[in-house]
């Protein structure tokens, strides 16, 4: 899994499969929390947008996954995997799903992930005087 783009895509697909609510904010916030704990996962261009950590990089990955028919956006405002996803290998998905389960075991919902990321981001901004 050397390609960073495939790694981010694998994390996004794993979030779609494992956590709820599966809105974009949960995905962005969860990746923000993971990138703070994991040196191997570096995602650039984070910025704060009201209530959630948003990244142009992650947004473009989500758009590409939707275009590639790996993920779809439902009428209810959630992301879900299509039946036959091709962008992410089964091996990567299993490996990253296990990592998510370990790293985010304390969270019961996507909203808890969003709230935790918001607290962490706010604390970082205060700490560096931004």
């Amino acid at each position: 899994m050397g390609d960073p783009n495939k790694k981010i895509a694998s994390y996004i697909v794993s979030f779609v499969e494992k956590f709820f609510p599966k809105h974009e904010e949960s995905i962005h916030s969860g990746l923000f929390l993971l990138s703070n704990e994991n040196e191997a996962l570096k995602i650039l261009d984070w910025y704060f947008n009201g209530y959630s950590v948003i990244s142009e990089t992650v947004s473009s990955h989500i758009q590409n996954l939707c275009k590639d028919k790996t993920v779809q956006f439902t009428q209810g405002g959630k992301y879900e995997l299509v039946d036959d996803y091709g962008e992410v290998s089964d091996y990567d998905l299993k490996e990253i799903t296990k990592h998510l389960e370990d790293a985010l075991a304390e969270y019961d919902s996507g909203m808890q992930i969003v709230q935790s990321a918001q607290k962490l981001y706010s604390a970082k901004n205060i700490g560096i005087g931004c």
Side-chain angles (χ1 to χ4, degrees), residues 3-128:
D3 182 356
N5 290 334
K6 287 191 176 187
K7 189 168 194 173
I8 294 170
S10 297
Y11 272 101
I12 291 168
V13 169
S14 196
F15 264 102
V16 169
E17 193 169 62
K18 295 301 285 183
F19 287 97
F20 56 92
K22 294 170 185 173
H23 295 81
E24 195 164 346
E25 290 81 10
S26 303
I27 296 167
H28 288 294
S29 298
L31 287 168
F32 175 72
L33 290 174
L34 288 170
S35 69
N36 275 275
E37 296 176 3
N38 183 352
E39 288 294 317
L41 185 63
K42 288 293 173 207
I43 303 168
L44 303 175
D45 303 322
W46 293 106
Y47 63 94
F48 196 69
N49 184 19
Y51 58 92
S52 181
V53 179
I54 304 296
S55 163
E56 290 297 329
T57 305
V58 175
S59 292
S60 69
H61 279 284
I62 294 172
Q63 289 173 10
N64 288 336
L65 287 166
C66 287
K67 285 178 194 170
D68 292 340
K69 306 284 192 251
T70 301
V71 169
Q72 63 186 2
F73 191 66
T74 68
Q75 293 275 356
K78 297 183 179 185
Y79 289 95
E80 66 182 16
L81 290 180
V82 297
D83 292 335
D84 183 25
Y85 52 90
E87 180 76 14
V88 177
S89 75
D90 285 335
Y91 174 79
D92 288 348
L93 187 58
K94 285 178 186 166
E95 180 183 324
I96 287 177
T97 298
K98 175 76 171 105
H99 182 214
L100 287 182
E101 286 171 350
D102 294 344
L104 302 175
E106 65 193 81
Y107 301 102
D108 294 323
S109 72
M111 279 315 299
Q112 287 181 336
I113 291 172
V114 172
Q115 291 163 352
S116 184
Q118 182 178 356
K119 282 184 197 171
L120 177 62
Y121 192 89
S122 296
K124 282 187 165 215
N125 275 347
I126 291 167
I128 59 174

